[in-house]
Amino acid sequence: MNDIDNLCMNCFKELTDGSICANCGYDNDIQVDMMYLQPKTVLADRYIIGAVLAHESDAAVYAAYDNQLDTLVNIREFLPKGMANRLEGNLDVHVRERFKSSYEKYKTSFINLWTTIIKMRNLSAVIPTFDVFELNGTAYAVSESMDSISLREFLLRNPDGNILWDQARLMFMPVLTTLEVLHSNGIIHGAINPDNLVLCRDGKVRLKSFCISEANTSSSDLEFNVNDGYTALEQYDNNHKMCPATDIYAFSACIFRALVGQNPPDAKSREANDKLMIPNSIAEKIPTHIIKALGGGLQIYPEKRTQTIDEFREKLNAAPAVVAAAANNPEVVERDMIEEEEHYKGYPEYDDMYKPKSKGFKIAVTVLVILIIAAVIAGVYVVKNGGIGKHQSEQTTAPVLETYSVPDFVSAGYTQSDIENNGAWNEQFKISFVADYSKDVEEGIVFKQSVEAGQTVDKGAEILLTVSKGVKTAQLPDVGGMSLEEATKKLEDLGFKVSTVEVYNDGGQTPNTVKANYGMAPAAGEEIAVGEEIILQVYGESVSTTHFDDTQE
């Protein structure tokens, strides 16, 4: 893209009618604050800066265009609020004197965070980031620009402002794998909320707005990212520390918002009055095990909360281990329950006459619910078996064969553990697993099923699911000095593709052989994804020079 003078600085489409973009509606005559990079600024001889999209605690976010990849991108510029700005006419960031040492420390945290996220670009719930660099006295992170809407906007478009668990499960469950990997790499998002969970055009839900960890606690010099209803208690100024359970709290609050249609009360107010209310009309549509899982994820104090993503996933899946634990420890069930008022009068207000019930009352209600469920199950059994006291001859003689529709195990990003822990699926089908390499699907995710989704099959039908082993790699052998034929065979036998570049032969080399030193890219010894192209430098025919004596007759 050479001519940028007539382009919209928000979507980078051509302006056809004045300064207002016909494509996105952005006013290109709007004055941009001088503390930000001005539109059409070029960074690193590659990125054209456009409109300012946001200014979060630690960074300004710009729309931008990547001239090298010929595509739209988003660029985060480390520009901590209240600590740094930019003087008019100067690209370099100006840091207030008393914050200079803190600024350098936080800038290092910014670079480390985004360098780590680059390595995770294949995670399904992370917007891919591909470049981090320092310039203008600060640092930049470059990510793909993806069309999306926020979870909050999506929910507001629903008539009731909420959705059912069957729909929510497809949206939320795949994000857990990404969170698990982030936590294992020491990254706590710390600001998960319905604005930072976005639904992209490819159908996946992704996390955005990662900030350095120092921006997610009130004790930092940086502006504190507080999101009422989603910020965990430990992020405020107290003796509790941020941990993976911090993200579990916020993620649970997002599921609560999606299912209930309202934000949970903020953590500070819940510390004084820990009540989460769900209207009966809504609670009856939410599976009991989901209410219990949210109860564990939304515990006020982090040490009492569900501690790991794996444990949280099991609770959401109603894994047998969780069911057994609940049966053996009713106090845990009681602790994790989100109380439901029978005569609920609206959210968040309710009549003073409906006071919290005593512990004994809640245990009695829990026992009563268990008895009712047992009675219903018994009733179903009686109905299915023709009723108590009926003679054999009065019952249906021909057994009815149960059939089920095969779920879509692939599109939702399920792991093998997700499926193994789903009791209903394993009762309906005989599911087995194999593993295979995939260059497109991250390790651990199911990417192929032997029976097509939506097909109706008999109960107990066998379904084979293929789980990704990730990208297959192999160490690149040294083929320097080999003939092209030998080198090509050796590389192709390992699964690599081979292309060649002819290099000059001064007569001292054997034609059609691979250059011995630095003759291949990538270099020998590197661990490379199978299927990648290997470029070999091959000597051409030797060149000889003949001198003609034009003085002879």
Side-chain angles (χ1 to χ4, degrees):
M1 179 183 294
N2 296 318
D3 184 13
I4 62 175
D5 290 335
N6 199 39
L7 295 180
C8 171
M9 289 292 102
N10 185 57
C11 67
F12 289 86
K13 299 290 186 183
E14 185 176 1
L15 293 173
T16 57
D17 187 18
S19 65
I20 307 296
C21 179
N23 180 61
C24 69
Y26 179 74
D27 184 357
N28 285 267
D29 280 345
I30 193 169
Q31 195 68 33
V32 176
D33 192 306
M34 296 306 297
M35 76 175 293
Y36 301 113
L37 292 171
Q38 296 300 294
K40 302 180 183 178
T41 300
V42 179
L43 295 180
D45 295 323
R46 174 175 177 177
Y47 304 110
I48 304 169
I49 292 295
V52 179
L53 302 179
H55 194 175
E56 297 167 0
S57 175
D58 68 342
V61 185
Y62 303 90
Y65 195 86
D66 183 348
N67 255 333
Q68 184 171 310
L69 297 180
D70 197 25
T71 187
L72 289 172
V73 295
N74 286 340
I75 293 184
R76 294 180 69 88
E77 176 184 49
F78 180 63
L79 193 68
K81 287 184 177 180
M83 189 176 290
N85 58 17
R86 181 175 276 104
L87 304 180
E88 185 173 351
N90 196 337
L91 291 180
D92 286 350
V93 167
H94 173 73
V95 183
R96 294 169 60 188
E97 187 66 33
R98 71 186 185 95
F99 290 121
K100 284 187 175 180
S101 61
S102 297
Y103 176 87
E104 290 300 323
K105 180 181 71 173
Y106 295 150
K107 184 175 75 171
T108 299
S109 293
F110 180 90
I111 294 169
N112 291 340
L113 169 66
W114 290 100
T115 301
T116 302
I117 290 177
I118 281 181
K119 299 173 184 176
M120 302 176 188
R121 69 178 71 181
N122 292 325
L123 290 176
S124 63
V126 169
I127 295 175
T129 298
F130 54 85
D131 196 8
V132 174
F133 58 95
E134 292 187 67
L135 193 67
N136 302 330
T138 186
Y140 299 88
V142 186
S143 305
E144 287 186 21
S145 175
M146 306 188 81
D147 288 338
S148 64
I149 63 168
S150 69
L151 173 64
R152 189 184 303 281
E153 184 180 351
F154 171 80
L155 293 172
L156 290 174
R157 290 182 183 182
N158 281 267
D160 299 324
N162 68 313
I163 56 178
L164 298 177
W165 171 243
D166 283 348
Q167 184 179 3
R169 177 179 58 81
L170 295 176
M171 295 167 58
F172 286 107
M173 293 301 286
V175 182
L176 293 178
T177 299
T178 293
L179 277 175
E180 195 167 27
V181 175
L182 289 170
H183 291 171
S184 68
N185 282 272
I187 296 176
I188 308 296
H189 188 286
I192 299 173
N193 63 68
D195 295 313
N196 289 342
L197 281 170
V198 294
L199 285 71
C200 301
R201 282 190 179 275
D202 61 4
K204 294 181 179 180
V205 175
R206 288 182 168 86
L207 277 167
K208 70 168 193 173
S209 297
F210 285 85
C211 289
I212 61 175
S213 61
E214 293 89 344
N216 292 319
T217 61
S218 63
S219 58
S220 170
D221 293 332
L222 298 172
E223 182 182 86
F224 178 31
N225 291 324
V226 62
N227 299 287
D228 287 341
Y230 303 91
T231 298
L233 185 69
E234 59 269 24
Q235 294 177 266
Y236 296 90
D237 190 12
N238 53 51
N239 294 325
H240 301 282
K241 302 298 182 184
M242 285 181 60
C243 58
T246 304
D247 281 344
I248 292 173
Y249 183 92
F251 197 71
S252 298
C254 289
I255 298 176
F256 182 97
R257 166 66 184 88
L259 299 181
V260 177
Q262 297 284 353
N263 295 336
D266 69 88
K268 294 285 283 183
S269 67
R270 287 186 60 213
E271 189 176 22
N273 181 22
D274 186 10
K275 296 297 172 186
L276 283 174
M277 310 302 298
I278 303 179
N280 276 347
S281 60
I282 293 176
E284 64 187 11
K285 300 176 184 178
I286 304 175
T288 304
H289 72 279
I290 299 301
I291 292 179
K292 292 176 180 177
L294 295 181
L298 286 169
Q299 286 289 312
I300 284 292
Y301 299 109
E303 61 269 18
K304 294 183 178 180
R305 204 177 300 150
T306 302
Q307 295 296 299
T308 66
I309 293 296
D310 188 54
E311 181 186 355
F312 186 55
R313 183 190 289 114
E314 283 192 355
K315 288 186 176 184
L316 290 174
N317 281 327
V322 175
V323 174
N328 292 330
N329 195 347
E331 289 187 4
V332 173
V333 176
E334 177 198 345
R335 184 198 73 193
D336 287 351
M337 286 179 64
I338 300 176
E339 186 176 347
E340 304 166 28
E341 295 290 353
E342 180 157 355
H343 303 289
Y344 183 81
K345 300 298 182 182
Y347 186 95
E349 296 83 8
Y350 59 99
D351 289 355
D352 290 338
M353 63 181 291
Y354 301 115
K355 300 296 183 184
K357 308 300 188 295
S358 67
K359 179 175 179 179
F361 180 88
K362 287 193 284 186
I363 293 175
V365 170
T366 303
V367 172
L368 179 60
V369 169
I370 293 172
L371 290 174
I372 291 172
I373 293 172
V376 170
I377 293 172
V380 171
Y381 179 84
V382 169
V383 170
K384 285 186 176 180
N385 287 278
I388 296 175
K390 283 189 174 289
H391 297 292
Q392 184 68 30
S393 59
E394 295 176 313
Q395 298 180 25
T396 304
T397 55
V400 178
L401 192 62
E402 294 182 64
T403 60
Y404 296 96
S405 176
V406 176
D408 184 351
F409 293 110
V410 173
S411 300
Y414 291 118
T415 65
Q416 181 172 337
S417 176
D418 292 338
I419 297 167
E420 287 177 332
N421 289 328
N422 189 300
W425 289 341
N426 286 280
E427 183 179 346
Q428 294 164 3
F429 313 105
K430 185 178 179 181
I431 301 174
S432 56
F433 301 86
V434 294
D436 199 1
Y437 292 104
S438 171
K439 65 178 182 179
D440 301 315
V441 181
E442 64 186 275
E443 185 177 356
I445 302 297
V446 172
F447 70 98
K448 192 185 299 182
Q449 58 189 84
S450 62
V451 182
E452 187 178 350
Q455 185 173 329
T456 301
V457 297
D458 294 339
K459 180 177 181 179
E462 295 186 2
I463 300 176
L464 180 66
L465 303 180
T466 305
V467 181
S468 173
K469 293 166 66 176
V471 178
K472 184 178 182 180
T473 63
Q475 190 177 58
L476 199 58
D478 187 355
V479 296
M482 292 185 182
S483 70
L484 176 59
E485 183 179 357
E486 291 175 322
T488 300
K489 183 178 187 309
K490 186 164 188 174
L491 292 171
E492 289 182 345
D493 285 349
L494 290 172
F496 297 110
K497 298 174 184 176
V498 178
S499 63
T500 61
V501 175
E502 186 173 306
V503 293
Y504 173 75
N505 186 348
D506 62 3
Q509 309 294 336
T510 304
N512 220 30
T513 59
V514 179
K515 185 180 176 185
N517 296 318
Y518 308 106
M520 55 195 300
E526 290 190 30
E527 197 75 19
I528 305 297
V530 171
E532 289 291 309
E533 182 182 34
I534 310 301
I535 301 173
L536 301 180
Q537 297 185 54
V538 180
Y539 288 113
E541 295 294 330
S542 60
V543 178
S544 59
T545 303
T546 303
H547 176 69
F548 292 93
D549 185 356
D550 57 6
T551 63
Q552 296 180 0
E553 294 293 330

